[in-house]
Amino acid sequence: MKYHSTRNQAELVSPSKAVLEGLAPDGGLYVPSELPQIDFASWLNHDYQMIAKKVFKIFFSDLADTTIKKIVNLAYGKNFDTTEIVPTRWLDSETGIMELWHGPTLAFKDLALQFLPYLMQAAQEKTGLKEDILILTATSGDTGKAAMEGFSGLEHFRVIVFYPYNGVSSFQKRQMLSREHNNVRAIALKGDFDDCQRGVKELFSTPNFVQTVSEAGYTLSSANSINIGRLVPQTVYYINSYLEAVSAGKISYGESLSIVVPTGNFGNILAACYARKMGLPLGKIHLAANQNNVLADFLNSGVYDRNRSLVKTSSPSMDILVASNLERYLYLKNPNTDWIKSLMQDLNSQGKFKVDRDIFDLSASWANEKETSAAIEHVYQKYNYLIDPHTAVAYASQNKTDLSGPTLIAGTASPYKFMEKIFTSLKQDIPADDWQSIQNISRLTGENVPQVIQKLWQLEQDREFVIESNQMSEIIQEEIK
Ligand SMILES: *Cc1c(COP(=O)(O)O)cnc(C)c1O
């Protein structure tokens, strides 16, 4: 497999190079030069790790089979609290929740970020890269801790994440400020997620900055979903969940299964599109947005317009107006690099662009705060099952569309990460401190507090470090001196 930028098909790079670079030098995103057609029916009795190995052999084809086998076993092992890795909880015969939050940081980001560090290490060996790697990452809350956890203590890697000051949940903040190794660090930026993401992207394309980092002995990379090394691992769980639905007798192979994805940066849903394009018999793929509904508007009208204010919602990981991975989706629908470049130019200069909506093969709707609360309450009352606000946005959004037939909703975070919204939705008092809240959530679920949370509460927290958005470069240089 080779990769090239969404803005230039002529220059092909190896998988290892694409993973180490993160963003292509021309500002585009790396995409696979082809998507293979796979007969997934022959994978029916595979477990999660076997599916992962087969997918990675195709997409990370410059790594040895033994390496892939080794790193898959490291990435998807006892660090997840279930051997199934991603179990599906069927609420009834029509609707299932893919529980993507059984990893160490309790959100779906772990599925890629428990693997990416080992992948980068292998790529580093493969390419003979001598320098250490400095990973800069913007986070709306979940990627930050997942990246810190994945790279924690890993030799030759430094991670600095930027999260929006006052823009993450108190649980997420505690996660990022509690670390076991000094090679990872979180910094609060006065701004929103888009400011964090723009700032990081700008640094990547600032020659002076790249030069300074290089003189300090580092090569830059990214753990955001602009990195193809995050996208590929996310295709694995759609394949796994589809095949599992067949094994469980919910569908027979070939029957369609619709997918609903609570979306922010468009990475998770794009992985579903890739899986379908490779031949997985998924039915409709539905994008769910919160009140920051720029993507839902786009899919319904063809006009992408980021000229609106960002609203803080109870699903902060979706509080995004500029979704990076949309560029990859547009490329998938129309692989014309000049067209992509002109759209991105329009986005930069006017904050908007327009395409013919007939090219889309996704449906979309969005849910407001009231509908999100109602979904949390409804699912709890009817099925005795707690869903987090992001999953609830997806649940509420799918009610506004006709998906018909069995449907899987991507359950992207554990309810422990966003406790306040759960209490208000269930019309319960919000306890004075987080530990009490955790015990109340545990009581609602009828299960013990997850071990990773118990461990988190034993760690000492760093003081929050807050910077202005124009201080990023300076602070990073200070950090790596
Ligand atoms: C990151 C995240 C999302 C959004 O996923 P994208 O890949 O950015 O679209 C949704 N829910 C949760 C809990 C997340 O952490």
Side-chain angles (χ1 to χ4, degrees), residues 108-109 142 262-268 317-318 390 412-413:
F108 89 89
K109 308 294 197 292
D142 286 334
T263 296
N265 224 351
F266 213 86
N268 200 3
S317 298
M318 300 156 71
H390 302 77
T412 48

Side-chain angles (χ1 to χ4, degrees), residues 437-448:
S437 300
I438 283 167
Q439 288 174 318
N440 289 7
I441 295 282
S442 162
R443 213 166 298 131
L444 288 168
T445 61
E447 285 175 33
N448 290 336

Side-chain angles (χ1 to χ4, degrees), residues 310-350:
L310 191 84
V311 183
K312 274 190 192 165
T313 72
S314 62
S315 43
S317 298
M318 300 156 71
D319 290 346
I320 294 175
L321 293 179
V322 183
S324 304
N325 275 294
L326 187 61
E327 183 168 340
R328 283 196 175 107
Y329 178 69
L330 293 165
Y331 184 87
L332 190 68
K333 293 295 108 197
N334 180 13
N336 175 335
T337 53
D338 287 335
W339 178 68
I340 299 279
K341 274 189 275 193
S342 79
L343 297 182
M344 293 304 130
Q345 248 158 29
D346 289 351
L347 182 63
N348 264 339
S349 58
Q350 300 154 42

Side-chain angles (χ1 to χ4, degrees), residues 12 236 243 298 302 309 338 392 398 425 459:
L12 294 173
V236 173
L243 297 176
F298 176 58
S309 3
D338 287 335
Q398 59 130 23
S425 303
L459 290 174

